[in-house]
Amino acid sequence: MIFRLGELFCGPGGIGWGAINASINNPNYRIIHQWANDYDESTCKTYRYNICPNAPETVYHADIRTFDMSQLAPIDALAFGFPCNDYSVVGEQKGMDGTFGSLYTYGVKALKKFKPMWFLAENVGGLKSANNGHAFTKILEELHTVGYTVTPHLYKFEDYGIPQTRHRIIIVGIRNDISVKFNVPSPAPFTHLNNTCRNAIENPPIPQDAFNNEFTKQSDQVVRRLNYIKPGQNAFTAELPEDLRLNVKGAKISQIYKRLDPNKPSYTVTGSGGGGTHIYHWAEPRALTNRERARLQTFPDTYKFIGTKENVRKQIGMAVPCNGAKIIFEAILNCFAGITYNSIESNIN
């Protein structure tokens, strides 16, 4: 069975790559791209170049709030990583009251219109606690109401071999009239993988001519500051001279000028970069390149991001890790193919 996938809020293609590269022991079950939508023009160009270069017209650059879905082709599956800004624990957690909080409803609208056999929805772990938990409950109720049995789970991607501490809620839904049950894939088959950030970035070495591998210029002061910060430390835990300390009132964010610990997964890759929020190399006094950040998100080196360096940094930070998405899509395919696999109970009731 070939599932035609539609994507809303597609981003640069972390989910899309995971979908079209998902492979199980039954080659008759696979996923192909049908269409995608995102509001950022450069992001759409990246998606077209890497996911569907032979069908660029199937990626629609448009704001979902004014987008006419009636022009879209039929689909068998839907993915939507609805914007997480208002649910992130790093942000203000406005939840449903924020600018982005209600955008999930367009995923619900697409489910009503296309009635795909299954869907995958993704958001940050903070979604569960937004609006005192009411936002998450409301989203699950609406997904159930439109005819789907849903299985939410907080995936800790570092447990699945991803070289990054990244926790995301993934909701998999299967249409109620289909007698297939989704089981959360177990991390057990991936625990042997070397998911340190050093291994991800250095093995194999990044080619000199790799896409998106430009260095960020550091000021002399930043270089001096980084030279005092040890691997795993940040600007507040390191012993800095008085002239290099940060005069920040209130919360001391742990990722400010934080250097990677080479023997552990990276901390979470985000779309930001100003004010010391780049990810910093463990040995060299500099920020990571976008290609190094992409490796932490498990994008292949052949994946070309299109846009300014700052826009590309944002694209990479907003994406779902390619290999993490692939693992979940393979679990879905196995469910439909009737193939058993290692699974665990959902950690969200």
Side-chain angles (χ1 to χ4, degrees):
M1 180 176 289
I2 298 176
F3 298 100
R4 300 165 296 176
L5 179 71
E7 269 196 86
L8 300 177
F9 317 108
C10 66
I15 287 177
W17 188 95
I20 64 175
N21 284 279
S23 175
I24 63 171
N25 285 334
N26 186 334
N28 294 321
Y29 287 81
R30 56 193 181 92
I31 304 166
I32 61 171
H33 162 82
Q34 180 77 313
W35 49 256
N37 157 260
D38 199 272
Y39 79 105
D40 183 77
E41 186 174 11
S42 294
T43 297
C44 288
K45 290 178 179 178
T46 296
Y47 192 103
R48 292 184 189 109
Y49 182 91
N50 296 281
I51 304 298
C52 54
N54 296 324
E57 73 283 355
T58 61
V59 181
Y60 299 84
H61 168 224
D63 187 326
I64 192 64
R65 291 168 290 195
T66 56
F67 183 51
D68 178 15
M69 287 195 210
S70 66
Q71 64 186 300
L72 298 172
I75 54 173
D76 309 296
L78 175 71
F80 55 107
F82 52 106
C84 61
N85 312 53
D86 291 325
Y87 300 117
S88 174
V89 292
V90 178
E92 298 177 40
Q93 271 206 303
K94 296 177 181 177
M96 292 294 188
D97 303 321
T99 305
F100 303 101
S102 62
L103 291 182
Y104 78 91
T105 59
Y106 293 93
V108 174
K109 180 180 176 183
L111 291 175
K112 285 182 180 178
K113 176 175 176 54
F114 297 102
K115 297 180 174 57
M117 299 175 73
W118 55 267
F119 73 81
L120 180 150
E122 177 266 347
N123 207 277
V124 291
L127 171 63
K128 193 171 186 297
S129 57
N131 296 99
N132 296 316
H134 298 309
F136 187 56
T137 299
K138 179 177 171 58
I139 290 171
L140 292 182
E141 286 177 352
E142 290 198 38
L143 294 170
H144 181 72
T145 299
V146 294
Y148 291 82
T149 299
V150 297
T151 305
H153 185 73
L154 179 65
Y155 290 81
K156 296 182 178 181
F157 282 118
E158 66 272 23
D159 293 343
Y160 289 84
I162 307 303
Q164 178 191 169
T165 301
R166 194 177 190 90
H167 300 170
R168 292 293 184 268
I169 288 177
I170 307 283
I171 305 167
V172 173
I174 297 178
R175 211 171 62 208
N176 286 338
D177 63 338
I178 298 172
S179 57
V180 170
K181 182 180 184 298
F182 175 74
N183 296 305
V184 176
S186 169
F190 309 97
T191 53
H192 69 284
L193 298 176
N194 182 346
N195 67 341
T196 65
C197 57
R198 183 204 297 271
N199 185 61
I201 290 172
E202 293 187 347
N203 186 24
I206 294 174
Q208 290 293 318
D209 58 351
F211 297 124
N212 311 112
N213 201 36
E214 307 87 359
F215 284 86
T216 298
K217 184 170 175 54
Q218 318 293 315
S219 70
D220 291 341
Q221 184 184 47
V222 168
V223 170
R224 284 185 60 222
R225 181 180 291 123
L226 288 172
N227 280 325
Y228 280 96
I229 300 174
K230 297 175 183 177
Q233 290 185 336
N234 62 45
F236 303 105
T237 58
E239 294 184 12
L240 297 177
E242 188 70 37
D243 65 316
L244 294 177
R245 293 175 188 169
L246 300 180
N247 296 315
V248 178
K249 296 179 179 179
K252 294 182 178 180
I253 300 174
S254 64
Q255 293 191 11
I256 300 293
Y257 292 108
K258 184 171 183 177
R259 301 189 78 162
L260 293 172
D261 182 332
N263 301 313
K264 295 180 180 178
S266 164
Y267 54 91
T268 305
V269 177
T270 67
S272 60
T277 57
H278 287 90
I279 296 179
Y280 293 88
H281 198 277
W282 60 88
E284 301 172 25
R286 63 172 178 85
L288 296 190
T289 67
N290 278 330
R291 178 49 51 192
E292 290 170 328
R293 292 161 61 91
R295 279 203 172 183
L296 298 176
Q297 286 278 56
T298 64
F299 282 96
D301 288 348
T302 53
Y303 211 94
K304 182 178 181 179
F305 295 88
I306 298 171
T308 65
K309 188 163 64 174
E310 290 71 26
N311 181 274
V312 167
R313 184 175 62 232
K314 184 176 180 180
Q315 290 181 43
I316 294 169
M318 299 286 275
V320 174
C322 292
N323 288 345
K326 180 174 178 280
I327 289 167
I328 301 169
F329 282 121
E330 287 178 345
I332 294 172
L333 291 177
N334 278 324
C335 286
F336 274 87
I339 298 172
T340 58
Y341 56 93
N342 284 339
S343 64
I344 57 175
E345 292 293 319
S346 168
N347 56 19
I348 297 177
N349 297 319

